[in-house]
Amino acid sequence: MKLSGLWITKNEEANLELSMRSVMDVCDELVVVDTGSTDKTVEIAKRHGARIEQFDWVHDFDAARNHELSTATGEALFFLDAHEWVEPALEKKDGVCIADLYTLGEDVYQI
């Protein structure tokens, strides 16, 4: 199953790298929907292999999320804010990788 890691960003250079690095080994695709950053957010995302989608902010988070959903190619989607990350201890627990949890059924949402 293909897992897509997804972010909506604007001026997140201070946070994005840690967030992306925490999931890049388990995600098959990284997508950053940038809403007009003027800092190094896009450069950081590109450096980590993310596909960049530019989206003009229209003061509507749902519109940005819908655009993000339309660009992801994974069967499973992992939404993160740039200030969120996965602790190494959570990435792999009892031999089960986060990416594998999507195949375990409804209980996956209780993580």
Side-chain angles (χ1 to χ4, degrees), residues 31-58:
V31 180
V32 171
V33 173
D34 189 74
T35 61
S37 291
T38 57
D39 64 1
K40 295 181 181 180
T41 297
V42 171
E43 178 184 320
I44 291 166
K46 286 180 181 178
R47 189 169 61 233
H48 287 86
R51 185 174 76 247
I52 309 301
E53 296 286 336
Q54 296 294 335
F55 183 80
D56 291 330
W57 183 246
V58 293

PDB file of all heavy atoms in Angstrom, residues 31-58:
ATOM      1  N   VAL A  31       4.321  15.238  -0.137  1.00  0.00           N
ATOM      2  CA  VAL A  31       3.716  16.322  -0.893  1.00  0.00           C
ATOM      3  C   VAL A  31       3.545  17.524   0.027  1.00  0.00           C
ATOM      4  O   VAL A  31       2.956  17.404   1.105  1.00  0.00           O
ATOM      5  CB  VAL A  31       2.336  15.926  -1.471  1.00  0.00           C
ATOM      6  CG1 VAL A  31       1.726  17.086  -2.251  1.00  0.00           C
ATOM      7  CG2 VAL A  31       2.441  14.685  -2.340  1.00  0.00           C
ATOM      8  N   VAL A  32       4.072  18.656  -0.399  1.00  0.00           N
ATOM      9  CA  VAL A  32       3.908  19.902   0.335  1.00  0.00           C
ATOM     10  C   VAL A  32       3.082  20.852  -0.513  1.00  0.00           C
ATOM     11  O   VAL A  32       3.465  21.186  -1.637  1.00  0.00           O
ATOM     12  CB  VAL A  32       5.277  20.534   0.679  1.00  0.00           C
ATOM     13  CG1 VAL A  32       5.112  21.927   1.249  1.00  0.00           C
ATOM     14  CG2 VAL A  32       6.042  19.643   1.654  1.00  0.00           C
ATOM     15  N   VAL A  33       1.943  21.241   0.018  1.00  0.00           N
ATOM     16  CA  VAL A  33       1.114  22.260  -0.619  1.00  0.00           C
ATOM     17  C   VAL A  33       1.488  23.565   0.059  1.00  0.00           C
ATOM     18  O   VAL A  33       1.182  23.776   1.230  1.00  0.00           O
ATOM     19  CB  VAL A  33      -0.387  21.947  -0.464  1.00  0.00           C
ATOM     20  CG1 VAL A  33      -1.226  23.097  -0.982  1.00  0.00           C
ATOM     21  CG2 VAL A  33      -0.726  20.653  -1.194  1.00  0.00           C
ATOM     22  N   ASP A  34       2.179  24.417  -0.668  1.00  0.00           N
ATOM     23  CA  ASP A  34       2.658  25.665  -0.086  1.00  0.00           C
ATOM     24  C   ASP A  34       1.728  26.801  -0.487  1.00  0.00           C
ATOM     25  O   ASP A  34       1.366  26.949  -1.643  1.00  0.00           O
ATOM     26  CB  ASP A  34       4.083  25.973  -0.535  1.00  0.00           C
ATOM     27  CG  ASP A  34       4.639  27.131   0.240  1.00  0.00           C
ATOM     28  OD1 ASP A  34       4.971  26.943   1.430  1.00  0.00           O
ATOM     29  OD2 ASP A  34       4.691  28.239  -0.321  1.00  0.00           O
ATOM     30  N   THR A  35       1.367  27.605   0.511  1.00  0.00           N
ATOM     31  CA  THR A  35       0.378  28.663   0.295  1.00  0.00           C
ATOM     32  C   THR A  35       1.002  30.055   0.256  1.00  0.00           C
ATOM     33  O   THR A  35       0.359  31.029   0.626  1.00  0.00           O
ATOM     34  CB  THR A  35      -0.714  28.609   1.382  1.00  0.00           C
ATOM     35  OG1 THR A  35      -0.102  28.814   2.660  1.00  0.00           O
ATOM     36  CG2 THR A  35      -1.444  27.284   1.358  1.00  0.00           C
ATOM     37  N   GLY A  36       2.269  30.123  -0.202  1.00  0.00           N
ATOM     38  CA  GLY A  36       2.886  31.432  -0.394  1.00  0.00           C
ATOM     39  C   GLY A  36       4.054  31.748   0.519  1.00  0.00           C
ATOM     40  O   GLY A  36       4.236  32.897   0.913  1.00  0.00           O
ATOM     41  N   SER A  37       4.856  30.761   0.837  1.00  0.00           N
ATOM     42  CA  SER A  37       6.004  30.990   1.714  1.00  0.00           C
ATOM     43  C   SER A  37       6.981  31.984   1.113  1.00  0.00           C
ATOM     44  O   SER A  37       7.230  31.990  -0.086  1.00  0.00           O
ATOM     45  CB  SER A  37       6.749  29.674   1.978  1.00  0.00           C
ATOM     46  OG  SER A  37       5.965  28.812   2.765  1.00  0.00           O
ATOM     47  N   THR A  38       7.549  32.812   1.986  1.00  0.00           N
ATOM     48  CA  THR A  38       8.587  33.760   1.581  1.00  0.00           C
ATOM     49  C   THR A  38       9.913  33.421   2.242  1.00  0.00           C
ATOM     50  O   THR A  38      10.887  34.152   2.068  1.00  0.00           O
ATOM     51  CB  THR A  38       8.175  35.200   1.935  1.00  0.00           C
ATOM     52  OG1 THR A  38       7.913  35.274   3.345  1.00  0.00           O
ATOM     53  CG2 THR A  38       6.939  35.625   1.154  1.00  0.00           C
ATOM     54  N   ASP A  39       9.946  32.331   2.993  1.00  0.00           N
ATOM     55  CA  ASP A  39      11.182  31.884   3.641  1.00  0.00           C
ATOM     56  C   ASP A  39      11.717  30.661   2.879  1.00  0.00           C
ATOM     57  O   ASP A  39      11.448  30.501   1.701  1.00  0.00           O
ATOM     58  CB  ASP A  39      10.945  31.594   5.128  1.00  0.00           C
ATOM     59  CG  ASP A  39       9.980  30.433   5.350  1.00  0.00           C
ATOM     60  OD1 ASP A  39       9.491  29.829   4.369  1.00  0.00           O
ATOM     61  OD2 ASP A  39       9.713  30.121   6.527  1.00  0.00           O
ATOM     62  N   LYS A  40      12.435  29.779   3.528  1.00  0.00           N
ATOM     63  CA  LYS A  40      13.061  28.630   2.859  1.00  0.00           C
ATOM     64  C   LYS A  40      12.219  27.355   2.924  1.00  0.00           C
ATOM     65  O   LYS A  40      12.721  26.265   2.693  1.00  0.00           O
ATOM     66  CB  LYS A  40      14.434  28.380   3.482  1.00  0.00           C
ATOM     67  CG  LYS A  40      15.403  29.510   3.232  1.00  0.00           C
ATOM     68  CD  LYS A  40      16.748  29.215   3.834  1.00  0.00           C
ATOM     69  CE  LYS A  40      17.686  30.399   3.579  1.00  0.00           C
ATOM     70  NZ  LYS A  40      19.011  30.174   4.153  1.00  0.00           N
ATOM     71  N   THR A  41      10.953  27.475   3.206  1.00  0.00           N
ATOM     72  CA  THR A  41      10.085  26.301   3.315  1.00  0.00           C
ATOM     73  C   THR A  41      10.139  25.430   2.063  1.00  0.00           C
ATOM     74  O   THR A  41      10.345  24.223   2.143  1.00  0.00           O
ATOM     75  CB  THR A  41       8.622  26.732   3.584  1.00  0.00           C
ATOM     76  OG1 THR A  41       8.572  27.416   4.837  1.00  0.00           O
ATOM     77  CG2 THR A  41       7.690  25.541   3.611  1.00  0.00           C
ATOM     78  N   VAL A  42       9.950  26.016   0.909  1.00  0.00           N
ATOM     79  CA  VAL A  42       9.930  25.248  -0.343  1.00  0.00           C
ATOM     80  C   VAL A  42      11.284  24.609  -0.603  1.00  0.00           C
ATOM     81  O   VAL A  42      11.367  23.442  -1.000  1.00  0.00           O
ATOM     82  CB  VAL A  42       9.486  26.141  -1.517  1.00  0.00           C
ATOM     83  CG1 VAL A  42       9.661  25.432  -2.847  1.00  0.00           C
ATOM     84  CG2 VAL A  42       8.031  26.573  -1.329  1.00  0.00           C
ATOM     85  N   GLU A  43      12.362  25.330  -0.371  1.00  0.00           N
ATOM     86  CA  GLU A  43      13.709  24.786  -0.550  1.00  0.00           C
ATOM     87  C   GLU A  43      13.928  23.568   0.356  1.00  0.00           C
ATOM     88  O   GLU A  43      14.475  22.548  -0.080  1.00  0.00           O
ATOM     89  CB  GLU A  43      14.733  25.876  -0.218  1.00  0.00           C
ATOM     90  CG  GLU A  43      16.166  25.443  -0.306  1.00  0.00           C
ATOM     91  CD  GLU A  43      17.106  26.555   0.133  1.00  0.00           C
ATOM     92  OE1 GLU A  43      16.849  27.730  -0.199  1.00  0.00           O
ATOM     93  OE2 GLU A  43      18.107  26.231   0.803  1.00  0.00           O
ATOM     94  N   ILE A  44      13.504  23.656   1.588  1.00  0.00           N
ATOM     95  CA  ILE A  44      13.648  22.536   2.529  1.00  0.00           C
ATOM     96  C   ILE A  44      12.841  21.337   2.058  1.00  0.00           C
ATOM     97  O   ILE A  44      13.319  20.200   2.070  1.00  0.00           O
ATOM     98  CB  ILE A  44      13.225  22.972   3.946  1.00  0.00           C
ATOM     99  CG1 ILE A  44      14.240  23.965   4.509  1.00  0.00           C
ATOM    100  CG2 ILE A  44      13.073  21.769   4.877  1.00  0.00           C
ATOM    101  CD1 ILE A  44      13.779  24.719   5.735  1.00  0.00           C
ATOM    102  N   ALA A  45      11.619  21.579   1.629  1.00  0.00           N
ATOM    103  CA  ALA A  45      10.772  20.492   1.142  1.00  0.00           C
ATOM    104  C   ALA A  45      11.398  19.808  -0.070  1.00  0.00           C
ATOM    105  O   ALA A  45      11.438  18.575  -0.145  1.00  0.00           O
ATOM    106  CB  ALA A  45       9.387  21.027   0.802  1.00  0.00           C
ATOM    107  N   LYS A  46      11.891  20.583  -1.010  1.00  0.00           N
ATOM    108  CA  LYS A  46      12.540  20.009  -2.193  1.00  0.00           C
ATOM    109  C   LYS A  46      13.767  19.196  -1.811  1.00  0.00           C
ATOM    110  O   LYS A  46      14.006  18.111  -2.365  1.00  0.00           O
ATOM    111  CB  LYS A  46      12.942  21.111  -3.174  1.00  0.00           C
ATOM    112  CG  LYS A  46      11.780  21.705  -3.923  1.00  0.00           C
ATOM    113  CD  LYS A  46      12.252  22.785  -4.874  1.00  0.00           C
ATOM    114  CE  LYS A  46      11.099  23.409  -5.632  1.00  0.00           C
ATOM    115  NZ  LYS A  46      11.545  24.494  -6.527  1.00  0.00           N
ATOM    116  N   ARG A  47      14.532  19.699  -0.875  1.00  0.00           N
ATOM    117  CA  ARG A  47      15.748  19.007  -0.431  1.00  0.00           C
ATOM    118  C   ARG A  47      15.428  17.626   0.151  1.00  0.00           C
ATOM    119  O   ARG A  47      16.235  16.717   0.091  1.00  0.00           O
ATOM    120  CB  ARG A  47      16.487  19.869   0.577  1.00  0.00           C
ATOM    121  CG  ARG A  47      17.850  19.352   0.943  1.00  0.00           C
ATOM    122  CD  ARG A  47      18.692  20.318   1.743  1.00  0.00           C
ATOM    123  NE  ARG A  47      18.062  20.644   3.017  1.00  0.00           N
ATOM    124  CZ  ARG A  47      17.832  21.883   3.451  1.00  0.00           C
ATOM    125  NH1 ARG A  47      18.149  22.926   2.711  1.00  0.00           N
ATOM    126  NH2 ARG A  47      17.275  22.082   4.620  1.00  0.00           N
ATOM    127  N   HIS A  48      14.235  17.462   0.680  1.00  0.00           N
ATOM    128  CA  HIS A  48      13.828  16.177   1.252  1.00  0.00           C
ATOM    129  C   HIS A  48      13.009  15.331   0.275  1.00  0.00           C
ATOM    130  O   HIS A  48      12.406  14.338   0.662  1.00  0.00           O
ATOM    131  CB  HIS A  48      13.070  16.407   2.559  1.00  0.00           C
ATOM    132  CG  HIS A  48      13.988  16.839   3.652  1.00  0.00           C
ATOM    133  ND1 HIS A  48      14.339  18.147   3.849  1.00  0.00           N
ATOM    134  CD2 HIS A  48      14.687  16.118   4.547  1.00  0.00           C
ATOM    135  CE1 HIS A  48      15.186  18.222   4.845  1.00  0.00           C
ATOM    136  NE2 HIS A  48      15.423  17.008   5.288  1.00  0.00           N
ATOM    137  N   GLY A  49      12.997  15.746  -0.976  1.00  0.00           N
ATOM    138  CA  GLY A  49      12.372  14.940  -2.018  1.00  0.00           C
ATOM    139  C   GLY A  49      10.877  15.123  -2.167  1.00  0.00           C
ATOM    140  O   GLY A  49      10.220  14.317  -2.825  1.00  0.00           O
ATOM    141  N   ALA A  50      10.339  16.169  -1.572  1.00  0.00           N
ATOM    142  CA  ALA A  50       8.891  16.393  -1.674  1.00  0.00           C
ATOM    143  C   ALA A  50       8.512  16.966  -3.021  1.00  0.00           C
ATOM    144  O   ALA A  50       9.278  17.693  -3.641  1.00  0.00           O
ATOM    145  CB  ALA A  50       8.430  17.346  -0.567  1.00  0.00           C
ATOM    146  N   ARG A  51       7.332  16.620  -3.439  1.00  0.00           N
ATOM    147  CA  ARG A  51       6.727  17.284  -4.593  1.00  0.00           C
ATOM    148  C   ARG A  51       6.049  18.536  -4.046  1.00  0.00           C
ATOM    149  O   ARG A  51       5.330  18.477  -3.047  1.00  0.00           O
ATOM    150  CB  ARG A  51       5.711  16.369  -5.281  1.00  0.00           C
ATOM    151  CG  ARG A  51       5.161  17.010  -6.552  1.00  0.00           C
ATOM    152  CD  ARG A  51       4.258  16.075  -7.338  1.00  0.00           C
ATOM    153  NE  ARG A  51       2.953  15.956  -6.709  1.00  0.00           N
ATOM    154  CZ  ARG A  51       2.480  14.856  -6.151  1.00  0.00           C
ATOM    155  NH1 ARG A  51       3.206  13.758  -6.125  1.00  0.00           N
ATOM    156  NH2 ARG A  51       1.274  14.836  -5.614  1.00  0.00           N
ATOM    157  N   ILE A  52       6.277  19.650  -4.687  1.00  0.00           N
ATOM    158  CA  ILE A  52       5.731  20.921  -4.240  1.00  0.00           C
ATOM    159  C   ILE A  52       4.518  21.270  -5.091  1.00  0.00           C
ATOM    160  O   ILE A  52       4.582  21.257  -6.318  1.00  0.00           O
ATOM    161  CB  ILE A  52       6.768  22.064  -4.363  1.00  0.00           C
ATOM    162  CG1 ILE A  52       8.089  21.683  -3.717  1.00  0.00           C
ATOM    163  CG2 ILE A  52       6.200  23.365  -3.793  1.00  0.00           C
ATOM    164  CD1 ILE A  52       8.021  21.333  -2.270  1.00  0.00           C
ATOM    165  N   GLU A  53       3.440  21.587  -4.430  1.00  0.00           N
ATOM    166  CA  GLU A  53       2.233  22.073  -5.091  1.00  0.00           C
ATOM    167  C   GLU A  53       1.989  23.484  -4.578  1.00  0.00           C
ATOM    168  O   GLU A  53       1.846  23.682  -3.371  1.00  0.00           O
ATOM    169  CB  GLU A  53       1.029  21.184  -4.765  1.00  0.00           C
ATOM    170  CG  GLU A  53       1.150  19.764  -5.267  1.00  0.00           C
ATOM    171  CD  GLU A  53       0.959  19.648  -6.758  1.00  0.00           C
ATOM    172  OE1 GLU A  53       0.305  20.535  -7.349  1.00  0.00           O
ATOM    173  OE2 GLU A  53       1.449  18.673  -7.334  1.00  0.00           O
ATOM    174  N   GLN A  54       1.987  24.455  -5.453  1.00  0.00           N
ATOM    175  CA  GLN A  54       1.691  25.831  -5.055  1.00  0.00           C
ATOM    176  C   GLN A  54       0.177  26.025  -5.049  1.00  0.00           C
ATOM    177  O   GLN A  54      -0.521  25.566  -5.951  1.00  0.00           O
ATOM    178  CB  GLN A  54       2.349  26.823  -6.020  1.00  0.00           C
ATOM    179  CG  GLN A  54       3.856  26.776  -6.006  1.00  0.00           C
ATOM    180  CD  GLN A  54       4.456  27.230  -4.673  1.00  0.00           C
ATOM    181  OE1 GLN A  54       3.861  27.983  -3.920  1.00  0.00           O
ATOM    182  NE2 GLN A  54       5.652  26.767  -4.390  1.00  0.00           N
ATOM    183  N   PHE A  55      -0.296  26.698  -4.014  1.00  0.00           N
ATOM    184  CA  PHE A  55      -1.730  26.959  -3.902  1.00  0.00           C
ATOM    185  C   PHE A  55      -1.911  28.358  -3.338  1.00  0.00           C
ATOM    186  O   PHE A  55      -1.408  28.679  -2.260  1.00  0.00           O
ATOM    187  CB  PHE A  55      -2.385  25.930  -2.964  1.00  0.00           C
ATOM    188  CG  PHE A  55      -3.868  26.077  -2.851  1.00  0.00           C
ATOM    189  CD1 PHE A  55      -4.708  25.579  -3.832  1.00  0.00           C
ATOM    190  CD2 PHE A  55      -4.436  26.729  -1.761  1.00  0.00           C
ATOM    191  CE1 PHE A  55      -6.084  25.722  -3.733  1.00  0.00           C
ATOM    192  CE2 PHE A  55      -5.804  26.879  -1.653  1.00  0.00           C
ATOM    193  CZ  PHE A  55      -6.634  26.374  -2.641  1.00  0.00           C
ATOM    194  N   ASP A  56      -2.602  29.196  -4.076  1.00  0.00           N
ATOM    195  CA  ASP A  56      -2.862  30.551  -3.604  1.00  0.00           C
ATOM    196  C   ASP A  56      -3.850  30.501  -2.440  1.00  0.00           C
ATOM    197  O   ASP A  56      -4.953  29.958  -2.581  1.00  0.00           O
ATOM    198  CB  ASP A  56      -3.436  31.428  -4.722  1.00  0.00           C
ATOM    199  CG  ASP A  56      -2.409  31.723  -5.801  1.00  0.00           C
ATOM    200  OD1 ASP A  56      -1.212  31.783  -5.470  1.00  0.00           O
ATOM    201  OD2 ASP A  56      -2.801  31.881  -6.962  1.00  0.00           O
ATOM    202  N   TRP A  57      -3.427  31.039  -1.301  1.00  0.00           N
ATOM    203  CA  TRP A  57      -4.269  31.034  -0.116  1.00  0.00           C
ATOM    204  C   TRP A  57      -5.517  31.884  -0.365  1.00  0.00           C
ATOM    205  O   TRP A  57      -5.425  33.045  -0.753  1.00  0.00           O
ATOM    206  CB  TRP A  57      -3.487  31.562   1.080  1.00  0.00           C
ATOM    207  CG  TRP A  57      -4.262  31.517   2.354  1.00  0.00           C
ATOM    208  CD1 TRP A  57      -4.687  32.582   3.086  1.00  0.00           C
ATOM    209  CD2 TRP A  57      -4.712  30.355   3.048  1.00  0.00           C
ATOM    210  NE1 TRP A  57      -5.375  32.146   4.196  1.00  0.00           N
ATOM    211  CE2 TRP A  57      -5.405  30.773   4.194  1.00  0.00           C
ATOM    212  CE3 TRP A  57      -4.600  28.976   2.796  1.00  0.00           C
ATOM    213  CZ2 TRP A  57      -5.980  29.893   5.108  1.00  0.00           C
ATOM    214  CZ3 TRP A  57      -5.171  28.093   3.706  1.00  0.00           C
ATOM    215  CH2 TRP A  57      -5.850  28.546   4.845  1.00  0.00           C
ATOM    216  N   VAL A  58      -6.681  31.294  -0.150  1.00  0.00           N
ATOM    217  CA  VAL A  58      -7.943  31.988  -0.364  1.00  0.00           C
ATOM    218  C   VAL A  58      -8.725  32.099   0.949  1.00  0.00           C
ATOM    219  O   VAL A  58      -9.943  32.186   0.949  1.00  0.00           O
ATOM    220  CB  VAL A  58      -8.799  31.290  -1.449  1.00  0.00           C
ATOM    221  CG1 VAL A  58      -8.133  31.399  -2.816  1.00  0.00           C
ATOM    222  CG2 VAL A  58      -9.054  29.827  -1.090  1.00  0.00           C
TER     223      VAL A  58
END
